Structures are given as C-alpha cells and as structure tokens.
Amino acid sequence: MTQYQIEPIGYIQSPYKQKFAIPRQPRLIPQAQAKLIFAPNFNREEFVRGLDEFSHVWLLFRFHETADKGWSPLVRPPRLGGNEKKGVFATRATFRPNAIGMSAVKLEGIEYKNGQLVLLLSGIDLLDGTPIVDIKPYLPYSDSLPDAQGGFADDRPETELNVEFSQQALAFCQHQHDFPELQGFITSVLKQDPRPAYKKSKQGMQQYGMSLHCFNIKWEIESNLNTVIEISKQSDS
C-alpha cells in the first residue's frame, strides 16, 4: 500500500500540559485559549490570507502522545462509562490507525509579530505541543447539520457537579492578573468531571491533581462537590 509522510504546519501552545483534564470535545470550555505557532516552512501570512473572515476553523492534528502506543479496532468510550466496546471508527478515541484527530474551534484572531505567524484560538481541547497537520475554515451552511444524529453521544455532556474553592485557592486566583479567567477556567474543567470513567462510581473522598497553564491544581471530590484545595505556580526548573 502507498504510504504518505505528513509534515506538521505548526504546533499548539495550550493550557493543557497533560492529557488528564482535557475536555472530551472542543468548545466545551470557552475559556481554554491557545495559540497555533506556525512551523518555519509555513510561517508566512500568505497561508492565512482571508482566514480572518471566518469565526471558526477545523484543526486536523496528530495524537502525538499516544501514537506510538498502537491502535485497536475496539475501544471503550468514556461517554459509556468505559464499560462497553465500540468500533474505533464509531468513536473519536485517540487509538486510531493513523492517530489523526479533528477539532472545530473558535478563531479569535491572527497575529504576525517579530516574524512569527500565530493563530489565536479558544474552546481548544488539545494537549500542549500537539502537531497540526491542516487547517480548514468552518462553513456553517455545510458543516452544521441540525438534523444529524449523534448515536451514543447525541447530547452535550453535562454533570451535576458543583465546584468550590478554598480560601488559599480563591486568593491565589484573585492575584493572577495575567490569567484573569483562571477561576472560571478551573471551574469549567472540573464541572466536566475529568476523572477516569471507572472512578466516577467510587464512594468516599477522592483527591486529584492537574496542571493548567503554569499552575498545579489540587482538588478533592466527594459526592457532587469538587473542592479546589490548593493552587501553586510550577517551578521554572
């Protein structure tokens, strides 16, 4: 069979520094802002001329963190609690034959400063460092299909979780002037319930940690309440 080599056109700078806590789909967390930094071979304004006329774009990307782990014809979608298998082509799972993903995200702007071309994006669901292999404008008349059926994922995922902040965590957020939406961002992430599917049926207190932007966030969950207990800035080392 013919094989193809794909050259990344750029890379994502994302607040999600680890796979844990990334939302299952794009645009679920509007506060998730990111940048697409164009690679040298594509770092010219000609490539995006006219793109600013569109409000959203499709990103085709590579699941770079899991690509070397192989693929499977059957996967366990988190939406089904991880208890039922579906064909990989009936899901958006990462363990795909070519490890290709796609996301429709909001285009906030285009920058060309100091010789570097950048797309400003929001509603992102991509890991920091994700290689982008193509960009296409989102076309509402063609890409939006109101009568389409979504199978086992027909409805937007919602949880009944509440989120509270300890005094330390709240004070920390209030002093992060470079990240004015930090508290809302963390709240939106936790309301999506990033826990593994098998953990969601566990009883009692559970504690977790995650990295967002340059921060370490620790929280605990019991019943329907998420409590952010501590936030700290990551060391530069």
Side-chain angles (χ1 to χ4, degrees):
M1 296 179 63
T2 302
Q3 294 186 346
Y4 301 92
Q5 288 187 330
I6 297 178
E7 178 183 2
I9 63 172
Y11 296 85
I12 289 290
Q13 285 185 356
S14 165
Y16 301 113
K17 308 304 180 183
Q18 54 190 183
K19 184 180 176 182
F20 184 65
I22 295 179
R24 305 295 184 189
Q25 301 296 338
R27 304 188 315 285
L28 293 177
I29 302 180
Q31 303 97 323
Q33 298 183 350
K35 294 181 178 181
L36 195 168
I37 311 299
F38 281 81
N41 285 346
F42 308 96
N43 189 32
R44 302 204 309 271
E45 290 181 282
E46 295 95 316
F47 280 104
V48 295
R49 184 179 298 167
L51 189 61
D52 57 355
E53 300 173 15
F54 298 88
S55 65
H56 294 75
V57 294
W58 288 103
L59 301 179
L60 300 182
F61 60 91
R62 176 110 168 137
F63 289 111
H64 65 296
E65 192 176 68
T66 57
D68 61 350
K69 298 179 181 179
W71 57 275
S72 173
L74 291 173
V75 295
R76 297 178 184 271
R79 190 67 178 270
L80 298 176
N83 298 317
E84 185 177 343
K85 290 185 177 182
K86 295 287 186 180
V88 67
F89 294 138
T91 76
R92 297 191 176 187
T94 60
F95 298 104
R96 320 185 70 80
N98 290 305
I100 297 294
M102 58 184 290
S103 291
V105 301
K106 187 175 182 181
L107 177 62
E108 298 286 357
I110 302 173
E111 290 184 349
Y112 189 75
K113 294 182 179 179
N114 301 319
Q116 180 60 62
L117 182 62
V118 176
L119 296 190
L120 306 178
L121 309 167
S122 67
I124 205 79
D125 63 336
L126 302 181
L127 183 68
D128 188 53
T130 294
I132 303 299
V133 300
D134 200 8
I135 304 166
K136 298 181 187 295
Y138 179 92
L139 303 178
Y141 80 88
S142 176
D143 296 342
S144 178
L145 304 171
D147 298 328
Q149 297 182 3
F152 63 85
D154 198 42
D155 298 320
R156 179 187 177 95
E158 300 288 350
T159 71
E160 296 180 355
L161 295 177
N162 297 307
V163 180
E164 293 183 352
F165 286 71
S166 69
Q167 290 185 346
Q168 185 276 339
L170 186 60
F172 188 94
C173 290
Q174 292 173 343
H175 287 85
Q176 301 306 310
H177 304 299
D178 291 337
F179 300 89
E181 294 189 356
L182 182 60
Q183 183 181 355
F185 182 32
I186 295 172
T187 298
S188 295
V189 169
L190 294 184
K191 285 184 71 68
Q192 291 293 318
D193 198 350
R195 293 178 296 168
Y198 71 94
K199 289 281 191 178
K200 297 180 181 181
S201 61
K202 299 288 185 180
Q203 300 297 318
M205 181 77 70
Q206 302 173 45
Q207 292 191 349
Y208 297 92
M210 64 182 176
S211 296
L212 295 175
H213 291 297
C214 56
F215 306 109
N216 292 320
I217 296 102
K218 295 181 180 178
W219 85 94
E220 58 188 23
I221 182 170
E222 185 173 21
S223 186
N224 289 330
L225 179 63
N226 275 315
T227 303
V228 181
I229 55 178
E230 183 181 354
I231 307 176
S232 61
K233 194 164 186 177
Q234 297 170 352
S235 62
D236 295 332
S237 59

